[in-house]
Amino acid sequence: MQPKLIIHGGAGSSLKTKEASQAVRYSLYKVIEDIYSLLLNGASAGEAVVRGCQLLEDDPRFNAGTGSVLQSDGQIRMSAALMDGTQQRFSGVINISRVKNPIYLAKTLQDSADRVLSDYGAAELARELHTPTYNPLTEVRLKEWLQERQENFDRTMADVVAEQEFVKPSESGRGTIGVVALDSQGHLAAGTSTGGKGFERIGRVSDSAMPAGNYANRKAGVSCTGIGEHIIDECLAAKIVVRVTDGLSLREAMARSFTEARENDRDFAAIALDYTGAIAYGKTSKTLLAAYHTGEQIGDTLEMVEDVQTIF
Ligand code: GLY
C-alpha cells in the first residue's frame, strides 16, 4: 500500500513575517521528506511517527522538546504520547523535565504494564533508562517568559513557534508537534509532543498525552494542537477516530467535528489519516502549521483558509 504521512508544528495566530512562514515550511518539508523515505524503505507507522516526532522535538522553532515554552514558574515540563493503531495501544509521559525527546519515553512505555507516567514517575523512568540529562531551554523562549513575567502572564498561551526575533505578539499562539503515518502494511500510528500552553500553573496537564489529543486505531489516526482544554472538552482525536470507525468517511468525521468545534467556540486544529489513505486536516485557529506527503506530492496548510480539507 502507498504510505501516507502528515505532520504538524502547531496551530494558532498567524506567523508575524513571511520569513517565519518560509522557515516553518522549510522545517516541516525537511521532516516530511526524511520520514516519508523511511516509510518507503519499510519503516512501520510507529517507527516513522517516533522518528518524525523526534526531529520536530529537536527543532527549536517548535514548542516540544528543545524550544519548549516555560510554565508560570519558569520551568519546562513536557508531555508526549504515542498510539499504535494496529494494537490500539496508547502510551505517554506527562510533565517530564530535563530530557531531550519525551516521545522516546512514550515509545518505551508501549510495552509496559503501566503505560502513562506523570512527572515523578516519568523522571524515574528516564533515570532507569539512563536517559542523559538535557536542558531544552532556548534563548528565545526565555526572553518570551521574561517579557510575560513583567506583564504578569496576561496572555493565555505562548507563541506557536519561536520566531528568531522576539517581538511582543498581538495575539497568542498554540504550539505542539504531531505526526500521523500510514505504512506500506496499512498500519496507522499517531504521536504528539508538547511543552504545553506556556505560562500555565504547575501541574496543569496537556491534552497531548491524552486520547483527546492523540488517538489511533486500525481505521484512523489523529493528532491535535491548540488550546488543550478545548481539545479535551471536545475529546477531539478520539471523537474523529470513533466516527470513522462507526462508518463515517474521514471527510465527514472531520467536517462534523469541526462544525461542532465552531459552534462551541473552540480554538484548535487536527491532522488525520485513515486506513484508505485519505489525508485530512482541520482548524478553528487562524493558522495550522502542517505538511503532508500523498505519495505523489508534498503539500502544506500554511495558507489554508477553509476549516477542513481532505485529500484522497
Ligand atoms: N495542546 C497543547 C496544550 O494545550 O498543552
Side-chain angles (χ1 to χ4, degrees):
M1 152 151 225
Q2 173 90 69
K4 305 280 172 158
L5 178 65
I6 185 161
I7 66 174
H8 71 76
S13 50
S14 307
L15 297 176
K16 292 184 278 278
T17 62
K18 225 185 167 108
E19 290 71 36
S21 257
Q22 274 311 341
V24 166
R25 185 171 276 126
Y26 178 82
S27 288
L28 291 174
Y29 279 32
K30 176 94 188 59
V31 176
I32 280 280
E33 280 163 8
D34 283 6
I35 302 306
Y36 198 76
S37 51
L38 281 185
L39 284 165
L40 285 179
N41 285 322
S44 70
E47 287 163 349
V49 163
V50 170
R51 179 76 180 133
C53 286
Q54 184 237 309
L55 292 176
L56 290 162
E57 286 176 340
D58 289 347
D59 188 328
R61 206 172 288 287
F62 301 119
N63 173 21
T66 305
S68 284
V69 297
L70 282 65
Q71 299 194 339
S72 55
D73 62 344
Q75 298 299 309
I76 291 175
R77 296 180 185 87
M78 301 166 285
S79 300
L82 174 65
M83 186 136 187
D84 179 304
T86 306
Q87 301 194 67
Q88 206 174 318
R89 186 181 290 176
F90 184 96
S91 58
V93 286
I94 295 169
N95 286 332
I96 175 91
S97 299
R98 302 202 153 267
V99 298
K100 191 168 185 215
N101 294 114
I103 193 67
Y104 276 128
L105 296 178
K107 173 183 175 261
T108 308
L109 289 168
Q110 274 281 306
D111 298 319
S112 163
D114 304 314
R115 277 190 273 111
V116 184
L117 296 182
S118 68
D119 41 65
Y120 180 71
E124 272 296 296
L125 175 71
R127 194 184 57 77
E128 279 166 26
L129 295 170
H130 304 288
T131 310
T133 302
Y134 178 80
N135 183 0
L137 179 66
T138 61
E139 194 69 21
V140 179
R141 292 302 191 185
L142 180 59
K143 279 191 196 158
E144 183 182 44
W145 184 84
L146 288 169
Q147 171 99 35
E148 280 311 305
R149 191 178 61 159
Q150 273 176 10
E151 291 165 26
N152 208 20
F153 303 113
D154 63 354
R155 281 163 63 201
T156 48
M157 285 187 86
D159 272 2
V160 60
V161 293
E163 296 185 49
Q164 291 314 305
E165 287 302 316
F166 177 71
V167 188
K168 171 80 177 158
S170 53
E171 292 180 67
S172 57
R174 305 85 178 77
T176 294
I177 65 91
V179 179
V180 186
L182 175 72
D183 65 25
S184 54
Q185 305 297 309
H187 296 156
L188 287 155
T192 306
S193 181
T194 190
K197 286 196 292 191
F199 324 129
E200 63 265 73
R201 286 182 67 134
I202 303 169
R204 183 256 181 187
V205 175
S206 166
D207 62 289
S208 300
M210 293 185 192
N214 187 79
Y215 201 76
N217 66 9
R218 286 192 174 81
K219 297 286 187 183
V222 176
S223 167
C224 301
T225 174
I227 296 186
E229 284 70 8
H230 292 193
I231 295 167
I232 294 165
D233 289 346
E234 293 292 323
C235 203
L236 186 64
K239 176 159 76 173
I240 295 165
V241 170
V242 168
R243 281 183 161 155
V244 174
T245 308
D246 285 349
L248 259 60
S249 68
L250 185 62
R251 182 200 294 271
E252 289 165 336
M254 289 287 280
R256 199 174 287 186
S257 303
F258 276 87
T259 300
E260 289 165 358
R262 278 264 174 237
E263 285 164 7
N264 293 335
D265 214 13
R266 307 300 193 194
D267 188 347
F268 55 48
I271 57 170
L273 292 179
D274 78 6
Y275 66 106
T276 68
I279 300 173
Y281 35 89
K283 64 175 177 62
T284 52
S285 309
K286 279 208 176 96
T287 313
L288 166 61
L289 310 178
Y292 54 85
H293 205 311
T294 65
E296 275 83 50
Q297 63 184 60
I298 297 179
D300 69 69
T301 65
L302 270 58
E303 264 112 51
M304 170 187 180
V305 285
E306 303 83 353
D307 271 9
V308 174
Q309 279 186 354
T310 314
I311 300 168
F312 292 96

